[in-house]
Structure formats: C-alpha cells, structure tokens
Amino acid sequence: MQIFIDSANVKQIETWLAQGVVDGVTTNPSIMFKDGVTDLEDGARRLSTLLGDRPLSVEVTSNDHAVMMVQARTFATWARNIVIKIPIINEFGESCLGVIHGLTQEGIGVNATAILSFNQAILAAKAGATYVSIFAGRVADEGNDPAVVIRNVRNWVDEWESPARIIVGSIRSVIDIQSAALAGAHIITIPPQFLPKMVDHKYTRETVRQFVQDAEKTMEQMRKGKAAVAGSTAL
Ligand code: E4P
C-alpha cells in the first residue's frame, strides 16, 4: 500500500519524505488556498521537483469540459510527474468521463476525484483513470460506510483486473486510515497532521524510557567493574 500526503505544504512534505514514507502528493484548490499557494504553476512546479518521480495530483479549476481539457494539457507540461485531477461530475451533475477518457487517450495521467459511490468509481476506472479517489470522510458525512465502498471497489478492480488504483482521501481521523487500509485501499492520501499521531504511542515512549534508564544503570555498573579490575591489578 502506498501513502500520499494530502497537502501543498512544502515543509511538511519535506519532513515526511525524509522519513521514507511518502509515495506521492495530492492537492486540490482548497488545499492550495489553505497552504498559501498563490501561483498554481509555481506551486505545482515546486512540489513536483520536491517529489522527484513520485506523482503529484493537481486539480482543474473549471466546470467546463473544454476548459478542463485545456488546463489539463497545460498542467501536464509543467512536470512529468503531474497527474490531473478531474472530478467525476461537475457541479451541475454533468459527467466528466469524456474528459477523463480523452486525457488518458492522450497519455495524460488522470486522478478521477470526488468519488462517493461504487458506481462512480467503476465508471471512472472504465474510462481509463489511473487513480480513482474515494472521499471516505464525505461518504461517511452522508451516513454511508466508506469501508464498504472501498472494499466493493477493490473487489471489482481485482475481479476484472482493472489497472486503476484506489486512492482513499478525505481522511478526518487516524482510525479512518486504518479502516481504509484494511478495506483494501491501494493508496491513502493523508493530511500531514495525522502522521505524527500514527507514529506515536505513549506506551512505546514509556518502554524506550525504561530501556534508556536501564542502559544508564548498566553503563554505570560496567564503569564500576572496570574501575575495580584496574584497582586490583595496580596492587
Ligand atoms: C483527496 O485527494 C482530496 O484532496 C481530499 O482528501 C478531499 O477531502 P476533503 O475535502 O473532504 O477534506
């Protein structure tokens, strides 16, 4: 399973890249805004350089299919690792599958986003999306169980040998990460504030504290032992 960071915060991404756990980054216009990106091209180029070969998802900013196509082609020229996020439908409920299909036919990688149901996910995969992004938190907002949607999509992908990879996003708490992983997500895109919580555990701290304290006692004992031997040979 891969871990992506759901952020445009360069410092945070650098921190977690250095820990060896980051396989890619996802952004959207809300994340860019929250993380202070004022120039989309500049922000995307900086993030893509940071990531090397790892994928960076950048989302189109229009409801219009023709504009989506133009933006996607432009974004794709900024760096080789840029994948274009296309919503499964626009805000008027019009299908964006044609855009997803058209871009993949041109060899541009697509992350089909804002997916909230099994049916949306399988259509995006059929249209050729490299990634299908299931928004777990938003599925739960509507009273549905994200784990069921993720598991069903994963079963379908495996059964029909679809090359589409499932990204689970819209992570709202640490337990969402565990649920998504166990439900079969290929990738989970995690807001960086949850990563320190994933790695920490108070009993691990206590355990390490005990080892460090005992190591100090052992060192002291060894020092005393050496001193006693040195004293006896000096006589
Ligand atoms: C994933 O790719 C999205 O960027 C993100 O997780 C959306 O989630 P949210 O808007 O519900 O937080």
Side-chain angles (χ1 to χ4, degrees), residues 81-166:
N81 57 339
I82 289 181
V83 173
I84 312 301
K85 256 184 170 182
I86 305 288
I88 182 74
I89 52 174
N90 66 13
E91 71 170 278
F92 309 114
E94 293 160 343
S95 166
C96 298
L97 290 168
V99 177
I100 293 167
H101 186 60
L103 292 172
T104 57
Q105 293 287 96
E106 292 179 23
I108 295 173
V110 172
N111 175 350
T113 194
I115 288 181
L116 297 174
S117 72
F118 171 85
N119 288 323
Q120 289 179 323
I122 66 167
L123 286 175
K126 288 283 295 174
T130 310
Y131 301 106
V132 293
S133 282
I134 301 172
F135 278 19
R138 292 185 192 248
V139 170
D141 284 344
E142 296 233 293
N144 296 310
D145 184 349
V148 172
V149 179
I150 297 161
R151 171 54 53 205
N152 287 343
V153 177
R154 178 60 193 264
N155 287 344
W156 182 90
V157 162
D158 290 351
E159 167 110 31
W160 297 100
E161 295 177 3
S162 166
R165 299 293 84 174
I166 301 163

Coordinates of all heavy atoms in Angstrom, one line a residue, residues 81-166:
N81 N 5.8 14.3 -13.6 CA 5.1 13.5 -12.6 C 3.7 14.1 -12.2 O 3.1 13.6 -11.3 CB 5.9 13.4 -11.3 CG 6.4 14.7 -10.8 OD1 6.3 15.7 -11.5 ND2 6.7 14.8 -9.5
I82 N 3.2 15.1 -13.0 CA 1.9 15.7 -12.7 C 0.8 14.8 -13.2 O 0.8 14.4 -14.4 CB 1.8 17.1 -13.2 CG1 2.7 18.0 -12.3 CG2 0.4 17.6 -13.1 CD1 2.8 19.5 -12.6
V83 N -0.1 14.5 -12.4 CA -1.4 13.8 -12.7 C -2.5 14.7 -12.6 O -2.5 15.6 -11.6 CB -1.5 12.6 -11.7 CG1 -2.9 11.9 -11.9 CG2 -0.4 11.6 -11.8
I84 N -3.5 14.7 -13.5 CA -4.5 15.7 -13.5 C -5.8 15.2 -12.7 O -6.3 14.1 -13.1 CB -4.9 16.1 -14.9 CG1 -3.7 16.4 -15.7 CG2 -5.9 17.3 -14.8 CD1 -2.8 17.5 -15.2
K85 N -6.2 16.0 -11.8 CA -7.4 15.6 -11.0 C -8.6 16.1 -11.8 O -8.8 17.3 -12.0 CB -7.4 16.2 -9.6 CG -7.1 15.2 -8.5 CD -7.2 15.9 -7.2 CE -7.1 15.0 -6.1 NZ -7.3 15.7 -4.8
I86 N -9.5 15.2 -12.1 CA -10.8 15.6 -12.8 C -11.9 15.0 -12.0 O -11.9 13.8 -11.7 CB -10.9 14.9 -14.2 CG1 -9.6 15.3 -15.1 CG2 -12.2 15.3 -14.9 CD1 -9.6 16.7 -15.6
P87 N -12.9 15.9 -11.6 CA -14.0 15.4 -10.8 C -14.8 14.5 -11.7 O -14.9 14.6 -12.9 CB -14.8 16.6 -10.4 CG -14.4 17.7 -11.4 CD -13.0 17.3 -11.9
I88 N -15.5 13.5 -11.1 CA -16.3 12.5 -11.8 C -17.5 13.2 -12.5 O -17.8 12.8 -13.6 CB -16.7 11.4 -10.9 CG1 -17.5 10.3 -11.6 CG2 -17.5 11.9 -9.7 CD1 -16.7 9.4 -12.5
I89 N -18.0 14.2 -11.9 CA -19.0 15.1 -12.5 C -18.7 16.5 -12.1 O -17.9 16.7 -11.2 CB -20.5 14.7 -12.0 CG1 -20.5 14.8 -10.5 CG2 -21.0 13.4 -12.6 CD1 -21.9 14.6 -9.9
N90 N -19.2 17.5 -12.9 CA -19.0 18.9 -12.5 C -20.2 19.3 -11.5 O -21.0 18.5 -11.1 CB -18.9 19.8 -13.7 CG -20.2 19.9 -14.5 OD1 -21.3 19.4 -14.0 ND2 -20.2 20.4 -15.7
E91 N -20.1 20.5 -11.1 CA -21.1 20.9 -10.1 C -22.6 20.9 -10.5 O -23.5 20.9 -9.7 CB -20.8 22.3 -9.4 CG -21.0 23.5 -10.3 CD -20.8 24.8 -9.6 OE1 -21.8 25.2 -8.9 OE2 -19.7 25.4 -9.7
F92 N -22.7 20.8 -11.9 CA -24.1 20.7 -12.4 C -24.5 19.2 -12.6 O -25.6 19.0 -13.2 CB -24.2 21.5 -13.7 CG -23.6 22.9 -13.6 CD1 -22.5 23.3 -14.2 CD2 -24.3 23.8 -12.7 CE1 -22.0 24.5 -14.1 CE2 -23.7 25.1 -12.5 CZ -22.6 25.4 -13.2
G93 N -23.7 18.3 -12.2 CA -24.0 16.9 -12.4 C -23.7 16.3 -13.8 O -24.1 15.2 -14.1
E94 N -23.0 17.1 -14.6 CA -22.7 16.6 -15.9 C -21.4 15.7 -15.8 O -20.5 16.0 -15.2 CB -22.4 17.8 -16.9 CG -23.6 18.6 -17.1 CD -23.2 20.1 -17.6 OE1 -22.1 20.5 -17.5 OE2 -24.1 20.7 -18.2
S95 N -21.5 14.5 -16.5 CA -20.5 13.6 -16.5 C -19.2 14.1 -17.0 O -19.1 14.8 -18.1 CB -20.9 12.3 -17.3 OG -19.7 11.5 -17.5
C96 N -18.1 13.9 -16.3 CA -16.7 14.3 -16.8 C -16.0 13.1 -17.3 O -14.7 13.1 -17.5 CB -15.9 15.0 -15.7 SG -16.7 16.5 -15.1
L97 N -16.7 12.0 -17.5 CA -16.0 10.7 -18.0 C -15.3 11.0 -19.4 O -14.3 10.4 -19.6 CB -17.0 9.6 -18.1 CG -17.5 9.1 -16.8 CD1 -18.7 8.1 -17.0 CD2 -16.4 8.3 -16.0
G98 N -16.0 11.8 -20.2 CA -15.4 12.1 -21.5 C -14.0 12.8 -21.4 O -13.1 12.5 -22.2
V99 N -13.9 13.7 -20.4 CA -12.7 14.4 -20.2 C -11.6 13.4 -19.7 O -10.5 13.4 -20.2 CB -12.9 15.5 -19.2 CG1 -11.5 16.2 -18.9 CG2 -13.9 16.5 -19.7
I100 N -12.0 12.6 -18.8 CA -11.1 11.5 -18.2 C -10.6 10.6 -19.3 O -9.4 10.4 -19.5 CB -11.9 10.7 -17.1 CG1 -12.2 11.6 -15.9 CG2 -11.0 9.5 -16.7 CD1 -13.1 11.0 -14.9
H101 N -11.5 10.2 -20.2 CA -11.2 9.3 -21.2 C -10.3 10.0 -22.3 O -9.3 9.4 -22.7 CB -12.5 8.8 -21.9 CG -12.2 7.7 -22.9 ND1 -11.6 6.5 -22.6 CD2 -12.4 7.7 -24.3 CE1 -11.4 5.8 -23.7 NE2 -11.9 6.5 -24.7
G102 N -10.7 11.2 -22.6 CA -9.9 11.9 -23.7 C -8.5 12.2 -23.2 O -7.5 12.0 -24.0
L103 N -8.3 12.6 -22.0 CA -6.9 12.8 -21.5 C -6.1 11.5 -21.4 O -4.9 11.5 -21.8 CB -7.0 13.5 -20.1 CG -7.6 14.9 -20.0 CD1 -7.8 15.4 -18.6 CD2 -6.7 15.9 -20.8
T104 N -6.7 10.4 -21.0 CA -6.0 9.2 -20.9 C -5.6 8.7 -22.3 O -4.5 8.2 -22.5 CB -6.7 8.1 -20.1 OG1 -8.0 7.9 -20.7 CG2 -7.0 8.5 -18.7
Q105 N -6.5 9.0 -23.3 CA -6.1 8.6 -24.6 C -4.9 9.4 -25.1 O -4.2 9.0 -26.0 CB -7.3 8.9 -25.6 CG -8.5 8.1 -25.4 CD -8.3 6.7 -25.9 OE1 -8.0 5.8 -25.1 NE2 -8.5 6.5 -27.2
E106 N -4.7 10.6 -24.6 CA -3.6 11.5 -25.0 C -2.3 11.1 -24.2 O -1.3 11.8 -24.3 CB -3.9 13.0 -24.7 CG -5.0 13.5 -25.7 CD -5.3 15.0 -25.4 OE1 -4.5 15.7 -24.9 OE2 -6.4 15.4 -25.8
G107 N -2.5 10.2 -23.3 CA -1.3 9.7 -22.4 C -1.1 10.6 -21.2 O -0.1 10.5 -20.6
I108 N -2.1 11.4 -20.8 CA -2.1 12.2 -19.6 C -2.7 11.4 -18.5 O -3.8 10.9 -18.6 CB -2.8 13.5 -19.8 CG1 -2.0 14.3 -20.9 CG2 -2.9 14.3 -18.5 CD1 -2.7 15.6 -21.3
G109 N -2.0 11.3 -17.4 CA -2.5 10.5 -16.2 C -3.6 11.3 -15.5 O -3.5 12.5 -15.3
V110 N -4.7 10.6 -15.2 CA -5.8 11.2 -14.6 C -6.1 10.6 -13.2 O -6.1 9.4 -13.1 CB -7.1 11.1 -15.5 CG1 -8.3 11.6 -14.7 CG2 -6.9 11.9 -16.8
N111 N -6.4 11.4 -12.2 CA -6.9 11.0 -10.9 C -8.4 11.5 -10.9 O -8.7 12.7 -10.8 CB -6.1 11.7 -9.9 CG -6.6 11.5 -8.4 OD1 -7.6 10.9 -8.2 ND2 -5.8 11.9 -7.5
A112 N -9.3 10.5 -11.1 CA -10.7 10.8 -11.0 C -11.1 11.1 -9.6 O -11.0 10.2 -8.7 CB -11.5 9.7 -11.6
T113 N -11.6 12.3 -9.3 CA -11.8 12.7 -7.9 C -13.2 12.9 -7.5 O -14.1 12.9 -8.4 CB -10.8 13.9 -7.7 OG1 -10.7 14.1 -6.3 CG2 -11.4 15.2 -8.3
A114 N -13.4 13.2 -6.2 CA -14.7 13.5 -5.6 C -15.6 12.3 -5.8 O -16.8 12.4 -5.9 CB -15.3 14.7 -6.2
I115 N -15.1 11.1 -5.7 CA -15.9 9.8 -5.9 C -16.5 9.4 -4.5 O -15.8 9.3 -3.5 CB -15.0 8.7 -6.5 CG1 -14.8 9.1 -8.0 CG2 -15.7 7.4 -6.4 CD1 -14.0 8.2 -8.8
L116 N -17.8 9.2 -4.6 CA -18.6 8.9 -3.3 C -19.4 7.6 -3.4 O -20.0 7.3 -2.4 CB -19.5 10.1 -3.0 CG -18.8 11.5 -2.8 CD1 -19.8 12.6 -2.6 CD2 -18.0 11.4 -1.5
S117 N -19.3 7.0 -4.6 CA -20.0 5.7 -4.7 C -19.3 4.7 -5.5 O -18.4 5.0 -6.3 CB -21.4 6.0 -5.3 OG -21.2 6.3 -6.7
F118 N -19.7 3.4 -5.3 CA -19.2 2.3 -6.1 C -19.3 2.6 -7.6 O -18.4 2.4 -8.4 CB -19.9 1.0 -5.7 CG -19.6 -0.2 -6.5 CD1 -18.4 -0.9 -6.2 CD2 -20.4 -0.5 -7.5 CE1 -18.1 -2.1 -7.0 CE2 -20.1 -1.7 -8.3 CZ -19.0 -2.4 -8.0
N119 N -20.5 3.0 -8.0 CA -20.8 3.1 -9.4 C -19.9 4.2 -10.0 O -19.5 4.1 -11.2 CB -22.3 3.5 -9.6 CG -23.2 2.2 -9.4 OD1 -22.8 1.1 -9.7 ND2 -24.3 2.4 -8.8
Q120 N -19.7 5.3 -9.3 CA -18.9 6.4 -9.9 C -17.4 5.8 -10.0 O -16.8 6.1 -11.0 CB -18.8 7.6 -8.9 CG -20.1 8.4 -8.9 CD -20.0 9.5 -7.9 OE1 -19.4 9.4 -6.8 NE2 -20.6 10.7 -8.2
A121 N -17.0 5.0 -9.1 CA -15.6 4.5 -9.1 C -15.4 3.6 -10.3 O -14.4 3.7 -11.0 CB -15.3 3.8 -7.8
I122 N -16.4 2.7 -10.5 CA -16.1 1.7 -11.6 C -16.2 2.4 -13.0 O -15.5 2.0 -13.9 CB -17.0 0.5 -11.5 CG1 -18.5 0.8 -11.7 CG2 -16.8 -0.3 -10.2 CD1 -19.4 -0.5 -12.0
L123 N -17.1 3.4 -13.1 CA -17.1 4.2 -14.4 C -15.8 4.9 -14.6 O -15.3 4.9 -15.8 CB -18.3 5.1 -14.4 CG -19.7 4.5 -14.5 CD1 -20.8 5.5 -14.4 CD2 -19.8 3.7 -15.9
A124 N -15.3 5.5 -13.6 CA -14.0 6.2 -13.8 C -12.9 5.3 -14.2 O -12.1 5.6 -15.1 CB -13.7 6.9 -12.4
A125 N -12.9 4.1 -13.6 CA -11.9 3.1 -13.9 C -12.1 2.7 -15.4 O -11.1 2.5 -16.1 CB -12.0 1.9 -13.0
K126 N -13.3 2.4 -15.8 CA -13.6 2.0 -17.2 C -13.2 3.1 -18.1 O -12.7 2.8 -19.2 CB -15.1 1.8 -17.3 CG -15.7 0.6 -16.7 CD -15.4 -0.7 -17.5 CE -16.0 -0.7 -18.8 NZ -15.6 -2.0 -19.6
A127 N -13.3 4.4 -17.8 CA -13.0 5.5 -18.7 C -11.5 5.6 -18.8 O -11.0 6.4 -19.7 CB -13.6 6.8 -18.2
G128 N -10.7 4.9 -17.9 CA -9.3 4.9 -18.1 C -8.5 5.7 -17.0 O -7.3 5.8 -17.2
A129 N -9.2 6.1 -16.0 CA -8.4 6.8 -14.9 C -7.3 6.0 -14.3 O -7.5 4.8 -14.1 CB -9.4 7.3 -13.8
T130 N -6.2 6.6 -14.1 CA -5.1 5.9 -13.4 C -5.4 5.7 -12.0 O -5.2 4.6 -11.4 CB -3.8 6.8 -13.5 OG1 -3.6 7.2 -14.8 CG2 -2.6 6.0 -13.0
Y131 N -6.0 6.7 -11.4 CA -6.4 6.7 -10.0 C -7.9 7.0 -9.8 O -8.4 7.9 -10.5 CB -5.7 7.7 -9.1 CG -4.2 7.6 -9.2 CD1 -3.4 8.5 -9.9 CD2 -3.5 6.6 -8.5 CE1 -2.0 8.4 -9.9 CE2 -2.1 6.4 -8.5 CZ -1.4 7.3 -9.2 OH 0.0 7.2 -9.3
V132 N -8.6 6.3 -8.9 CA -10.0 6.7 -8.5 C -9.9 7.1 -7.1 O -9.5 6.3 -6.2 CB -11.0 5.6 -8.8 CG1 -11.2 5.4 -10.3 CG2 -10.7 4.3 -8.1
S133 N -10.3 8.4 -6.8 CA -10.2 8.9 -5.4 C -11.5 8.8 -4.7 O -12.4 9.6 -5.0 CB -9.7 10.3 -5.4 OG -8.3 10.3 -5.6
I134 N -11.6 7.9 -3.8 CA -12.8 7.8 -2.9 C -12.7 8.7 -1.7 O -11.7 8.6 -1.0 CB -13.1 6.3 -2.5 CG1 -13.2 5.4 -3.8 CG2 -14.3 6.2 -1.6 CD1 -13.2 3.9 -3.4
F135 N -13.6 9.5 -1.5 CA -13.6 10.5 -0.4 C -14.3 9.9 0.8 O -15.5 10.1 1.1 CB -14.3 11.8 -0.8 CG -13.4 12.7 -1.6 CD1 -12.3 12.3 -2.3 CD2 -13.7 14.1 -1.8 CE1 -11.4 13.1 -3.1 CE2 -12.9 14.9 -2.5 CZ -11.8 14.4 -3.2
A136 N -13.5 9.2 1.7 CA -14.0 8.5 2.8 C -14.9 9.4 3.7 O -16.0 9.0 4.1 CB -12.9 7.8 3.6
G137 N -14.3 10.5 4.1 CA -15.0 11.4 5.1 C -16.3 11.8 4.6 O -17.3 11.9 5.3
R138 N -16.3 12.2 3.3 CA -17.6 12.7 2.7 C -18.6 11.5 2.5 O -19.8 11.8 2.5 CB -17.3 13.4 1.4 CG -16.5 14.7 1.7 CD -16.3 15.6 0.4 NE -15.3 16.6 0.7 CZ -15.6 17.9 0.7 NH1 -16.9 18.3 0.5 NH2 -14.7 18.8 0.9
V139 N -18.1 10.3 2.2 CA -19.0 9.2 2.2 C -19.7 9.0 3.5 O -20.9 8.9 3.6 CB -18.3 7.9 1.8 CG1 -19.2 6.6 1.9 CG2 -17.7 7.9 0.3
A140 N -18.9 9.1 4.6 CA -19.4 9.0 5.9 C -20.4 10.1 6.3 O -21.4 9.9 7.0 CB -18.3 8.9 6.9
D141 N -20.1 11.4 5.8 CA -21.0 12.5 6.0 C -22.4 12.2 5.6 O -23.4 12.7 6.2 CB -20.5 13.7 5.2 CG -19.3 14.4 5.7 OD1 -19.0 14.2 6.9 OD2 -18.7 15.2 4.9
E142 N -22.5 11.3 4.6 CA -23.9 11.0 4.1 C -24.5 9.8 4.7 O -25.5 9.3 4.2 CB -23.7 10.8 2.6 CG -23.3 12.0 1.8 CD -24.2 12.3 0.7 OE1 -24.3 11.5 -0.3 OE2 -24.9 13.3 0.7
G143 N -23.8 9.3 5.8 CA -24.4 8.2 6.5 C -24.1 6.9 5.9 O -24.6 5.8 6.3
N144 N -23.1 6.8 5.0 CA -22.7 5.6 4.4 C -21.3 5.1 4.9 O -20.6 6.0 5.4 CB -22.6 5.7 2.8 CG -24.0 6.0 2.3 OD1 -25.0 5.3 2.6 ND2 -24.1 7.0 1.5
D145 N -21.1 3.8 4.8 CA -19.8 3.3 5.4 C -18.7 3.3 4.3 O -18.8 2.5 3.4 CB -20.1 1.9 5.9 CG -18.9 1.3 6.6 OD1 -17.8 1.9 6.6 OD2 -19.1 0.2 7.3
P146 N -17.7 4.1 4.5 CA -16.7 4.2 3.5 C -16.0 2.9 3.3 O -15.6 2.5 2.2 CB -15.7 5.2 4.0 CG -16.2 5.7 5.3 CD -17.5 5.1 5.6
A147 N -15.8 2.1 4.4 CA -15.1 0.8 4.3 C -15.8 -0.2 3.3 O -15.2 -0.9 2.5 CB -15.0 0.1 5.6
V148 N -17.1 -0.1 3.3 CA -17.9 -1.0 2.4 C -17.7 -0.5 0.9 O -17.4 -1.4 0.0 CB -19.4 -0.9 2.7 CG1 -20.3 -1.7 1.7 CG2 -19.6 -1.5 4.1
V149 N -17.7 0.8 0.7 CA -17.5 1.3 -0.7 C -16.1 0.9 -1.1 O -15.9 0.4 -2.3 CB -17.7 2.8 -0.8 CG1 -17.4 3.3 -2.2 CG2 -19.1 3.2 -0.3
I150 N -15.1 1.1 -0.3 CA -13.7 0.8 -0.6 C -13.5 -0.7 -0.9 O -12.9 -1.1 -1.9 CB -12.7 1.3 0.5 CG1 -12.8 2.8 0.7 CG2 -11.3 0.8 0.2 CD1 -12.3 3.2 2.1
R151 N -14.0 -1.5 -0.1 CA -13.9 -3.0 -0.2 C -14.6 -3.4 -1.5 O -14.0 -4.2 -2.3 CB -14.5 -3.7 1.0 CG -14.7 -5.1 1.0 CD -13.5 -6.0 0.6 NE -12.3 -5.7 1.4 CZ -11.0 -5.9 1.1 NH1 -10.8 -6.4 -0.2 NH2 -10.0 -5.7 1.8
N152 N -15.8 -2.9 -1.8 CA -16.5 -3.3 -3.0 C -15.7 -2.9 -4.3 O -15.6 -3.7 -5.2 CB -17.9 -2.7 -3.0 CG -18.8 -3.4 -2.0 OD1 -18.6 -4.5 -1.6 ND2 -19.9 -2.7 -1.7
V153 N -15.2 -1.7 -4.3 CA -14.5 -1.2 -5.4 C -13.2 -2.0 -5.6 O -12.8 -2.5 -6.7 CB -14.1 0.3 -5.3 CG1 -13.3 0.7 -6.5 CG2 -15.4 1.2 -5.3
R154 N -12.5 -2.3 -4.5 CA -11.3 -3.1 -4.5 C -11.6 -4.5 -5.1 O -10.9 -5.1 -5.9 CB -10.6 -3.2 -3.2 CG -9.4 -4.1 -3.1 CD -8.3 -3.5 -4.1 NE -7.2 -4.5 -4.3 CZ -6.1 -4.5 -3.6 NH1 -5.9 -3.5 -2.7 NH2 -5.2 -5.4 -3.8
N155 N -12.7 -5.1 -4.6 CA -13.1 -6.5 -5.2 C -13.3 -6.4 -6.7 O -12.9 -7.3 -7.4 CB -14.3 -7.0 -4.4 CG -14.0 -7.4 -3.0 OD1 -12.9 -7.6 -2.7 ND2 -15.1 -7.6 -2.2
W156 N -14.0 -5.3 -7.1 CA -14.3 -5.2 -8.5 C -13.0 -5.0 -9.3 O -12.8 -5.6 -10.4 CB -15.2 -4.0 -8.7 CG -15.6 -3.8 -10.1 CD1 -16.7 -4.3 -10.8 CD2 -15.0 -3.0 -11.1 NE1 -16.7 -3.9 -12.1 CE2 -15.7 -3.1 -12.3 CE3 -13.8 -2.2 -11.1 CZ2 -15.3 -2.4 -13.5 CZ3 -13.4 -1.5 -12.2 CH2 -14.2 -1.6 -13.4
V157 N -12.1 -4.2 -8.8 CA -10.8 -3.9 -9.5 C -10.0 -5.2 -9.7 O -9.5 -5.5 -10.7 CB -10.0 -2.8 -8.8 CG1 -8.5 -2.8 -9.1 CG2 -10.6 -1.5 -9.0
D158 N -10.0 -6.0 -8.6 CA -9.3 -7.3 -8.6 C -9.9 -8.3 -9.5 O -9.3 -8.9 -10.3 CB -9.2 -7.8 -7.2 CG -8.2 -7.0 -6.3 OD1 -7.5 -6.1 -6.8 OD2 -8.2 -7.3 -5.1
E159 N -11.3 -8.4 -9.4 CA -12.0 -9.4 -10.2 C -11.8 -9.1 -11.7 O -11.6 -10.1 -12.5 CB -13.5 -9.2 -9.8 CG -14.4 -10.0 -10.7 CD -15.0 -11.2 -10.1 OE1 -15.2 -11.1 -8.9 OE2 -15.3 -12.1 -10.8
W160 N -11.9 -7.9 -12.1 CA -11.8 -7.6 -13.5 C -10.4 -7.1 -14.0 O -10.2 -6.6 -15.1 CB -12.9 -6.5 -13.9 CG -14.2 -7.1 -13.6 CD1 -15.0 -6.9 -12.5 CD2 -14.9 -8.0 -14.4 NE1 -16.2 -7.6 -12.6 CE2 -16.2 -8.3 -13.8 CE3 -14.7 -8.7 -15.6 CZ2 -17.1 -9.3 -14.3 CZ3 -15.6 -9.6 -16.2 CH2 -16.8 -9.9 -15.5
E161 N -9.5 -7.2 -13.1 CA -8.1 -6.9 -13.4 C -7.9 -5.5 -14.0 O -7.2 -5.3 -14.9 CB -7.4 -7.9 -14.3 CG -7.3 -9.3 -13.6 CD -6.8 -10.4 -14.4 OE1 -6.4 -10.1 -15.6 OE2 -6.7 -11.5 -14.0
S162 N -8.7 -4.6 -13.4 CA -8.6 -3.2 -13.8 C -7.2 -2.6 -13.3 O -6.8 -2.8 -12.2 CB -9.7 -2.4 -13.2 OG -9.5 -1.0 -13.3
P163 N -6.5 -1.8 -14.2 CA -5.3 -1.2 -13.7 C -5.5 0.0 -12.8 O -4.5 0.5 -12.3 CB -4.6 -0.8 -15.0 CG -5.7 -0.6 -16.0 CD -6.8 -1.6 -15.6
A164 N -6.7 0.5 -12.7 CA -7.0 1.6 -11.8 C -6.6 1.4 -10.4 O -6.8 0.3 -9.8 CB -8.5 2.0 -11.9
R165 N -5.9 2.4 -9.8 CA -5.5 2.3 -8.3 C -6.5 3.1 -7.5 O -6.8 4.2 -7.9 CB -4.1 2.8 -8.1 CG -3.0 2.0 -8.9 CD -2.8 0.6 -8.4 NE -3.7 -0.3 -9.1 CZ -3.7 -1.6 -9.0 NH1 -2.8 -2.2 -8.3 NH2 -4.6 -2.4 -9.7
I166 N -6.9 2.5 -6.4 CA -7.8 3.2 -5.5 C -7.1 4.1 -4.5 O -6.2 3.6 -3.7 CB -8.7 2.2 -4.7 CG1 -9.5 1.3 -5.6 CG2 -9.6 2.9 -3.7 CD1 -10.0 0.0 -4.9

